[in-house]
Amino acid sequence: MKNIRNFCIIAHIDHGKSTLADRLLERTNTIAAKDMEAQVLDDMELERERGITIKSHAIQMNYELNGEKYVLNLIDTPGHVDFSYEVSRSIAACEGALLIVDGSQGIQAQTISNLYMAIDNNLEIIPVINKCDLESANPDEVEDQIVDLLGCDRSEIIRASGKTGMGVDDILQAIVERVPAPKGDPSAPLQALIFDSVFNPFRGIIAYFKIVNGSIRTDDFVKFVSTGKEYHADEIGVLKLDLSPRKELSAGNVGYIISGIKTSREVRVGDTITHVERPCDKAIAGFEEVKPMVFAGVYPIDPEDFENLRASLEKLQLNDASLTFQPESSAALGFGFRCGFLGLLHMEIIQERLGREFNMDVITTVPNVSYLVYDKKGNKTEVHNPSGLPDPTLIDHIEEPYIRATVITAAEFIGPIMTLCLGKRGELIKQEYISGNRMEITFDMPLGEIVIDFYDKLKSISKGYASFDYHIHDFRVSNLVKLDILLNGESVDALSTLTHADNSVKFGRRMCEKLKELIPRQQFDIAIQAAIGTKVIARETVKAVRKDVTAKCYGGDISRKRKLLEKQKEGKKRMKQIGRVEVPQKAFLAVLKLD
């Protein structure tokens, strides 16, 4: 055990951790030169394209220092705020972490939140300044920021470049010398932490684990603590670029287990594996169910694709257990699914994967968050969909989720960012200088306000320099109302939203104006109304396209023209009764980009 080192990499999106991981793999000869490609651990096409890590990966490297052989287990982590639970489990499986900071950008919000998580788990932090080969890099200033943040010595900070390979040997040496070996008792009952799982179409679900205590052999009879399910360990082994089977693994090791599990629900990240005959007395702390925070309806464009969409979502769920879905129907869009996502990036990625991997064209409704609705009798229900709201006369009060948000930015953008956050009903908690002219501002904000366009606005007003991170804080009572959009008196359920009473009139008016631009003209007038309950708060009318029926009347008695116009009026009236207004896909998307 003394020669094992388990470490992860903490970094903000696009600070170059996948590229630096490539250099580590190359330097330790884990990957043959012919198999080497950029971002070798990001195996999803989408990950490479966007330059983000969506799924965490693990890989084992062998390294020799001063004649002694070491086994280094790298557990890669996603960098985006939506995947923070997955990051927390990866951190729990390690004893050390490489903190990678971009030499040209400095410390960002995501880095700080993941860093605090690592410090809470008593990980040894090795600070690395990446991209030092760039002309725009300013390693001295970034060093100051790291010293302020960690309180470490300047000599402990390693300057590196994932592109040129500079500093890679120093990093490997620091991992061996500074990261402590795992502690644990190989003879105690088995206790292993699941930090990730992947789906293989031939072998079922493969769970990745780190053994804290005890040891496991092939064909052992094991139990997953939180689900209580029991399995035979058909195959265990370590993670090289491919799976590499072993007969036995003991405490401190990182490996995988294949036991023919077919449903993703049975393997939960953060769960504990133990033996059936000699179980451990308690599970590893920190396990929690991942709760989706953003909900949206996903509907097939062609109603006949409903079953295909269900099959596609089920397959996606095998690879991504944090996606939840249940069938629902809408008068405007037909049959579809109500899906729960971890956040907006997660939603975007799922949508993109449905299109790429399964050729599914889908309509996604306005995303919203889950609310707690209390009725007059004191019963509590969780509502994910505005149409699921009980009658307003029965509601006592509604609570909505609040987040604790951290924004890190240059001092010159403070004014506009404050205005943006306060406009989204934010409450300023604190602001402080981190280093130089960089400030950290902390807000409490309703999650419902940031799910639509907050992130885009933040990026544009700060010229891309502000970084944003959040975690769910609590639920608070809010004065929320359900805003319905009516077309010719009929409610379009897919466009209804829950909004704060103070914003409702302004929001309703903007919705009506936007829909007036987008809904094509018909042969009858279309009334677009925004209503709260029975009270209409805004209205626009799409005028009818009409034929000039009196064109053929030249001269003569006015009653001839009147007769023709009356006849046309009757036809329009009948048309309006039986005519249906088609809402184009653009209208659903427009609600997201009202500004």
Side-chain angles (χ1 to χ4, degrees), residues 112-346:
I112 290 187
S113 74
N114 286 349
L115 175 68
Y116 287 155
M117 216 187 282
I119 291 172
D120 286 347
N121 278 293
N122 297 324
L123 264 61
E124 177 63 39
I125 310 290
I126 301 173
V128 177
I129 301 177
N130 194 17
K131 305 193 184 179
C132 285
D133 58 317
L134 293 181
E135 283 176 22
S136 59
N138 191 346
D140 296 333
E141 192 182 307
V142 177
E143 243 177 43
D144 293 340
Q145 293 176 15
I146 293 174
V147 171
D148 282 353
L149 183 67
L150 284 176
C152 61
D153 270 357
R154 283 181 180 278
S155 59
E156 292 175 21
I157 301 172
I158 299 170
R159 296 190 180 189
S161 160
K163 196 171 175 185
T164 62
M166 151 190 167
V168 170
D169 285 328
D170 299 342
I171 294 173
L172 287 165
Q173 196 172 335
I175 290 166
V176 170
E177 288 170 0
R178 294 194 220 165
V179 175
K183 297 179 179 68
D185 180 358
S187 58
L190 174 68
Q191 200 180 21
L193 169 76
I194 298 178
F195 62 83
D196 195 13
S197 65
V198 293
F199 177 71
N200 180 310
F202 306 108
R203 320 237 8 214
I205 305 249
I206 303 171
Y208 296 168
F209 61 78
K210 180 217 174 177
I211 303 177
V212 178
N213 286 312
S215 56
I216 182 171
R217 292 180 185 79
T218 309
D219 287 334
D220 276 359
F221 199 33
V222 295
K223 178 169 101 173
F224 288 22
V225 175
S226 83
T227 56
K229 298 261 184 165
E230 299 176 358
Y231 307 101
H232 276 287
D234 299 337
E235 180 180 312
I236 59 166
V238 295
L239 298 144
K240 297 285 192 182
L241 195 54
D242 297 316
L243 305 177
S244 171
R246 296 281 187 274
K247 281 273 176 268
E248 182 180 6
L249 290 175
S250 63
N253 268 302
V254 172
Y256 69 89
I257 177 169
I258 299 178
S259 44
I261 304 168
K262 299 287 186 292
T263 54
S264 62
R265 286 271 154 264
E266 292 178 24
V267 179
R268 293 175 177 168
V269 172
D271 196 359
T272 305
I273 305 175
T274 188
H275 280 129
V276 174
E277 277 138 31
R278 191 173 158 227
C280 56
D281 48 0
K282 64 177 195 298
I284 296 163
F287 171 70
E288 55 184 81
E289 289 285 328
V290 185
K291 286 198 72 165
M293 286 324 296
V294 174
F295 295 85
V298 174
Y299 294 85
I301 285 178
D302 182 353
E304 289 175 1
D305 284 340
F306 175 71
E307 281 305 325
N308 294 350
L309 179 60
R310 183 201 295 273
S312 307
L313 284 169
E314 279 170 0
K315 283 180 185 155
L316 267 185
Q317 198 181 39
L318 291 171
N319 276 321
D320 185 352
S322 48
L323 166 70
T324 60
F325 64 92
Q326 60 197 59
E328 71 164 4
S329 64
S330 139
L333 299 170
F335 290 103
F337 294 93
R338 186 103 202 132
C339 297
F341 308 99
L342 297 175
L344 285 180
L345 177 85
H346 189 212

Side-chain angles (χ1 to χ4, degrees), residues 563-579:
K563 189 176 162 191
L564 286 167
L565 288 167
E566 284 298 321
K567 195 173 167 187
Q568 185 184 31
K569 198 162 140 194
E570 282 299 310
K572 296 271 179 214
K573 196 169 156 190
R574 193 166 65 247
M575 203 183 280
K576 188 170 177 176
Q577 282 166 354
I578 60 168

Side-chain angles (χ1 to χ4, degrees), residues 463-483:
K463 304 191 175 133
Y465 281 114
S467 61
F468 173 69
D469 181 60
Y470 68 88
H471 59 265
I472 299 299
H473 193 52
D474 55 7
F475 277 80
R476 299 185 193 176
V477 177
S478 282
N479 181 13
L480 297 167
V481 290
K482 182 184 170 195
L483 184 74

Side-chain angles (χ1 to χ4, degrees), residues 539-584:
R539 168 174 174 141
E540 295 285 338
T541 309
V542 179
K543 283 294 182 198
V545 184
R546 40 180 299 228
K547 184 178 167 190
D548 189 357
V549 288
T550 58
K552 61 177 187 251
C553 296
Y554 50 94
D557 194 356
I558 186 71
S559 62
R560 289 178 62 205
K561 285 188 178 179
R562 284 246 172 82
K563 189 176 162 191
L564 286 167
L565 288 167
E566 284 298 321
K567 195 173 167 187
Q568 185 184 31
K569 198 162 140 194
E570 282 299 310
K572 296 271 179 214
K573 196 169 156 190
R574 193 166 65 247
M575 203 183 280
K576 188 170 177 176
Q577 282 166 354
I578 60 168
R580 278 193 59 213
V581 184
E582 287 292 323
V583 184

Side-chain angles (χ1 to χ4, degrees), residues 485-492 495 515 519 526-529 542 581-583:
I485 298 294
L486 311 173
L487 295 182
N488 282 345
E490 272 188 36
S491 166
V492 181
L495 288 174
L515 287 170
I519 289 178
I526 302 170
I528 303 169
Q529 293 164 309
V542 179
V581 184
E582 287 292 323
V583 184

